[in-house]
Amino acid sequence: MEQEVAIYSDDSFGSKIAEFKCFAVHANERSRIISAPVENGQMSPDHKVIDPTIITVTGTIDCFDEATSNAIDKLNSMFENCRLQLYSLTSKEGAWSQLMLKDKPHKEDSDRPDLAVYELVFQEIMMVQGQGENAANSENSNNMNTGYCAAIRL
């Protein structure tokens, strides 16, 4: 069953890739519990770290459609762009922002050789930002030296 998925880039209003027929969106949202050893040798849970979200969008492109080359060119340019190109993605499952296209494996459908099945893998990008009273001061380089930093979602 086809789903509506819109992919937006940070330097354009974005668009739905018309020839890409999406049938699954999967969000992998995970975290880790960090533990530290205490005096008696046991591990004590200390805090939780939220891992970057991985979004997998699976869909097909009709290989014999006239507009196929446009869709394939669009996916290739998204993948081959080496600069920090961030995307937002919306579907009925949710909305995510600050994503980079990490992988785009594809194969022919064994039941229908006229279809190419694509799996677009996006990963959330987190930036490191200094914390503390002087974090906003760009001249203060001691934030990194004193450990006052954190990964943030943009």
Side-chain angles (χ1 to χ4, degrees), residues 82-97:
C82 294
R83 68 182 183 87
L84 183 62
Q85 178 72 49
L86 299 178
Y87 295 95
S88 297
L89 190 143
T90 59
S91 74
K92 69 178 185 176
E93 279 78 18
W96 301 272
S97 61

Side-chain angles (χ1 to χ4, degrees), residues 14-57:
S15 63
K16 178 178 178 287
I17 302 171
E19 299 80 13
F20 181 73
K21 309 292 188 236
C22 174
F23 60 84
V25 175
H26 175 7
N28 187 356
E29 299 171 311
R30 295 182 178 231
S31 65
R32 295 175 281 134
I33 303 297
I34 305 299
S35 299
V38 292
E39 291 176 5
N40 64 6
Q42 291 184 341
M43 299 297 279
S44 173
D46 185 79
H47 62 283
K48 179 172 84 168
V49 174
I50 298 174
D51 293 330
T53 302
I54 305 287
I55 310 293
T56 304
V57 178

Side-chain angles (χ1 to χ4, degrees), residues 86-88 96-100 123-126 153-154:
L86 299 178
Y87 295 95
S88 297
W96 301 272
S97 61
Q98 308 302 47
L99 304 171
M100 283 191 84
Q123 180 172 330
E124 179 183 32
I125 299 302
M126 295 179 168
R153 287 191 163 114
L154 299 174

